[in-house]
Amino acid sequence: MRRGYKWVDRELARMDPETDWERMISLYVSHRVPEFALAMMVYPGTMRMMQPSMGADTLAHTTKLETRPHRRFQDGNDFLMAWMVDGLSSAAGRRAAERLNRIHLSVARRTPQLPGNFDHIDDFIYPLVLLATFGDRLQTSLGLPGMSEHMKIAWHRWAQALFRLLERESGPLADEAFPEDWNAMTEFALKFDSRPYTQTESGHRVATAMMDFFAEHWFPAPFQAFGRDLTRYLAGERVCRLHRIGWISPRRERVVRAFLKSAFRAQRLLPDYRTPLPERLQRTRRTHAQLKKLEP
């Protein structure tokens, strides 16, 4: 392992996605995914998740995305590393699921004005489907090759297993139905995205805060307008219009597409990461004191 210029695909090809899916996801995320890709997935993905008005109202109520975005991004990375790299069968993976369940229940208790805001099964399925299919959907939308079939199986098994560990307000999800395969997941996402949703002030406020943080955190001042365009493109036109954060002109859309295509092509040429993603994240991790200074 870890010999040669491009070694991850060679290791993945030796594994059986039906039985080794947990190791496959861990290897892929650890040594193929840059930190920037997590941000591209998390922030526009959250905009998509809060298409239902209750989801937007709940996120606005917690205020964490608006007032403590650095902490929110760091906490989100901790959850993803526990589930994707440590693995769902690990102690860290299960503790992370239990912690998220406690957070959801606590927020549900503090928001009696939003009854059942953590009780809709689709609102649990959709984020997991987004996490599993994000890379493939983005690459194929750009006209690039998508994910291999054996990685699609592994990602589906991962999303399904994480779903079984989560709980909604009225009880565990372990016995509830989850899309049966990769195609069913993508079909579910298309149907979820095509439902009629209502514009809300909370959705506009939170989406604007996320877009601004993504641009300001990852791009120097002269390029922050491009960072906002990138966020919009990844969220999609329908979502941007729902949250009233504007859409991009055809010329700017071509610039974003060219940037993304170049990034994916560079990834195919560059060597696989030898340092695991959790270690790379640790280098830029802020302490509690540093976060307090950033987010008083």
Side-chain angles (χ1 to χ4, degrees):
M1 187 183 285
R2 306 189 195 185
R3 293 180 180 178
Y5 191 74
K6 303 290 282 187
W7 56 275
V8 170
D9 282 342
R10 200 165 56 242
E11 294 298 323
L12 292 172
R14 296 190 179 110
M15 301 182 195
D16 180 353
E18 297 290 354
T19 56
D20 299 327
W21 57 266
E22 194 168 22
R23 288 196 298 139
M24 291 173 69
I25 298 302
S26 178
L27 179 64
Y28 182 88
V29 172
S30 287
H31 299 284
R32 271 284 174 82
V33 176
E35 183 181 359
F36 181 60
L38 286 181
M40 286 203 308
M41 177 172 58
V42 169
Y43 284 93
T46 303
M47 291 184 193
R48 288 175 173 267
M49 293 173 203
M50 64 181 199
Q51 291 178 86
S53 59
M54 193 170 289
D57 290 341
T58 300
L59 286 170
H61 173 82
T62 64
T63 73
K64 194 171 183 180
L65 282 165
E66 297 172 84
T67 61
R68 294 178 291 166
H70 294 276
R71 192 181 303 270
R72 176 63 171 76
F73 182 58
Q74 197 161 284
D75 288 348
N77 288 344
D78 291 343
F79 279 117
L80 293 179
M81 292 306 96
W83 293 330
M84 293 179 175
V85 178
D86 295 320
L88 296 173
S89 66
S90 70
R94 291 186 175 276
R95 280 197 305 269
E98 291 166 1
R99 179 178 173 230
L100 185 64
N101 290 335
R102 289 195 299 270
I103 291 172
H104 284 171
L105 185 57
S106 174
V107 174
R109 288 170 175 165
R110 297 200 307 270
T111 52
Q113 74 278 18
L114 300 171
N117 54 337
F118 285 101
D119 217 34
H120 299 283
I121 294 176
D122 287 1
D123 293 342
F124 287 87
I125 295 175
Y126 185 70
L128 301 180
V129 166
L130 279 186
L131 288 171
T133 64
F134 170 80
D136 180 80
R137 292 175 72 184
L138 178 56
Q139 290 180 74
T140 55
S141 75
L142 295 167
L144 300 173
M147 199 173 290
S148 66
E149 290 303 315
H150 71 299
M151 280 305 298
K152 288 180 179 179
I153 295 172
W155 275 112
H156 172 257
R157 294 288 185 269
W158 175 86
Q160 186 179 54
L162 179 50
F163 178 75
R164 303 285 184 233
L165 295 178
L166 300 180
E167 296 182 6
R168 55 178 175 157
E169 197 173 345
S170 59
L173 292 167
D175 296 325
E176 302 294 342
F178 188 84
E180 61 184 10
D181 55 23
W182 177 271
N183 290 335
M185 286 201 305
T186 57
E187 183 179 351
F188 176 92
L190 289 172
K191 289 181 178 179
F192 189 97
D193 287 334
S194 65
R195 295 173 185 171
Y197 296 109
T198 304
Q199 290 183 343
T200 64
E201 181 56 33
S202 56
H204 168 70
R205 198 172 72 240
V206 177
T208 300
M210 286 191 290
M211 179 175 64
D212 289 345
F213 174 74
F214 178 83
E216 292 163 11
H217 183 71
W218 291 100
F219 294 90
F223 300 102
Q224 286 175 8
F226 172 78
R228 291 180 176 85
D229 284 348
L230 176 58
T231 315
R232 292 184 179 101
Y233 180 84
L234 293 171
E237 183 176 1
R238 195 169 186 269
V239 173
C240 289
R241 296 200 184 282
L242 173 68
H243 296 317
R244 293 181 289 115
I245 58 173
W247 185 237
I248 51 181
S249 67
R251 182 186 65 81
R252 287 155 61 192
E253 184 175 352
R254 287 194 294 271
V255 171
V256 172
R257 287 176 62 88
F259 169 81
L260 290 170
K261 283 184 177 181
S262 299
F264 279 118
R265 286 168 177 158
Q267 186 185 40
R268 292 178 186 275
L269 295 174
L270 293 172
D272 295 326
Y273 291 103
R274 290 179 178 269
T275 304
L277 180 56
E279 292 183 27
R280 285 179 272 136
L281 289 172
Q282 196 65 32
R283 294 170 184 168
T284 57
R285 187 177 183 85
R286 292 181 168 91
T287 65
H288 178 69
Q290 289 170 329
L291 289 171
K292 285 187 72 173
K293 288 182 180 179
L294 281 171
E295 302 166 355

